[in-house]
Amino acid sequence: MGSVLGRISVETPKYQVLSSSAEYEIRHYAPAVVAEVTYTPSQLDGSRDGGFRVLADYIGALGNPKNAKPEKIAMTAPVITKSEKIAMTAPVITQGPPGGGGGGGEEEEAVTMRFVLPAKYGSAEEAPKPLDERVVVREEEGRKYGVVRFGGVATEGVATEKAERLREWLERDGHKVAGEFVLARYNPPWTVPPLRTNEVMIPIE
């Protein structure tokens, strides 16, 4: 019932709030070990969230874990996604996403979905090895982000709008943006939309 009402009861990444305003926070995140998969929606039944099943299988969230030990790995929050346009390979087998800037099918969207593994894994070598070669386990360095939190359903359009506004605030306040935004979603899809927790995060120097 707690997950329906938006309660976050799983482990979340450690960070320190360096500054905050009415609009956003500046956070420093500790180093972490992550498992991620990069794909185009056309590779996974046309779904932007198709990578969730791949990663959930790795940790054993939906059954037997697909890793070399095998070992069940606790689910954490948030689920992090990043999108970018990539040049399509030949032959062209799918069209670019609707509203993709009139690229005429020359680009499509690549999505990287990431789970942050529990803090007990201090290095990538300590985490179980994936059996699915699409899953990459790696260490992520600590870094600073500008972060804005919001509720509701975090559609691609909503996230992009929030990110554009956050980027404007960061640049206005003298922060140097160091990469593209990522979307962090803390709740399962059955959580009541007004009670969901989402964040857009932009890396800064």
Side-chain angles (χ1 to χ4, degrees), residues 126-200:
E126 293 178 14
K129 183 179 179 180
L131 296 180
D132 189 329
E133 62 182 13
R134 295 173 295 179
V135 178
V136 175
V137 175
R138 64 176 182 83
E139 295 168 23
E140 187 166 64
E141 296 180 350
R143 67 184 313 178
K144 288 197 298 184
Y145 286 91
V147 182
V148 64
R149 177 170 288 193
F150 61 100
V153 179
T155 64
E156 185 178 9
V158 169
T160 299
E161 181 181 341
K162 298 285 186 184
E164 289 174 353
R165 194 170 303 168
L166 175 58
R167 182 182 293 269
E168 291 174 359
W169 292 334
L170 292 170
E171 292 176 345
R172 176 200 67 192
D173 295 340
H175 297 288
K176 187 171 182 181
V177 171
E180 297 302 315
F181 81 90
V182 297
L183 171 64
R185 291 173 289 178
Y186 285 81
N187 310 102
W190 53 82
T191 301
V192 178
L195 301 180
R196 295 181 187 180
T197 298
N198 313 295
E199 292 176 337
V200 161

Side-chain angles (χ1 to χ4, degrees), residues 31-190:
V33 178
V34 303
E36 64 184 22
V37 58
T38 299
Y39 54 95
T40 59
S42 61
Q43 294 172 322
L44 295 174
D45 298 324
S47 171
R48 293 187 73 256
D49 288 331
F52 184 90
R53 179 60 187 253
V54 177
L55 294 174
D57 283 346
Y58 163 64
I59 68 172
L62 304 175
N64 293 326
K66 294 185 178 179
N67 60 61
K69 284 197 173 181
E71 176 183 317
K72 277 191 175 287
I73 302 171
M75 186 72 193
T76 66
V79 174
I80 299 170
T81 50
K82 179 180 180 180
S83 303
E84 61 180 336
K85 295 290 191 297
I86 59 170
M88 290 185 65
T89 56
V92 175
I93 56 174
T94 59
Q95 294 183 339
E106 295 178 357
E107 290 184 328
E108 66 175 341
E109 182 183 56
V111 179
T112 298
M113 179 172 285
R114 181 182 309 150
F115 287 4
V116 180
L117 299 187
K120 72 175 186 177
Y121 300 111
S123 68
E125 289 73 24
E126 293 178 14
K129 183 179 179 180
L131 296 180
D132 189 329
E133 62 182 13
R134 295 173 295 179
V135 178
V136 175
V137 175
R138 64 176 182 83
E139 295 168 23
E140 187 166 64
E141 296 180 350
R143 67 184 313 178
K144 288 197 298 184
Y145 286 91
V147 182
V148 64
R149 177 170 288 193
F150 61 100
V153 179
T155 64
E156 185 178 9
V158 169
T160 299
E161 181 181 341
K162 298 285 186 184
E164 289 174 353
R165 194 170 303 168
L166 175 58
R167 182 182 293 269
E168 291 174 359
W169 292 334
L170 292 170
E171 292 176 345
R172 176 200 67 192
D173 295 340
H175 297 288
K176 187 171 182 181
V177 171
E180 297 302 315
F181 81 90
V182 297
L183 171 64
R185 291 173 289 178
Y186 285 81
N187 310 102
W190 53 82

Side-chain angles (χ1 to χ4, degrees), residues 13-19 25-30 144-145:
K14 295 179 174 60
Y15 64 83
Q16 177 184 5
V17 178
L18 302 179
S19 65
E25 288 184 341
I26 301 296
R27 300 177 185 171
H28 184 274
Y29 278 81
K144 288 197 298 184
Y145 286 91

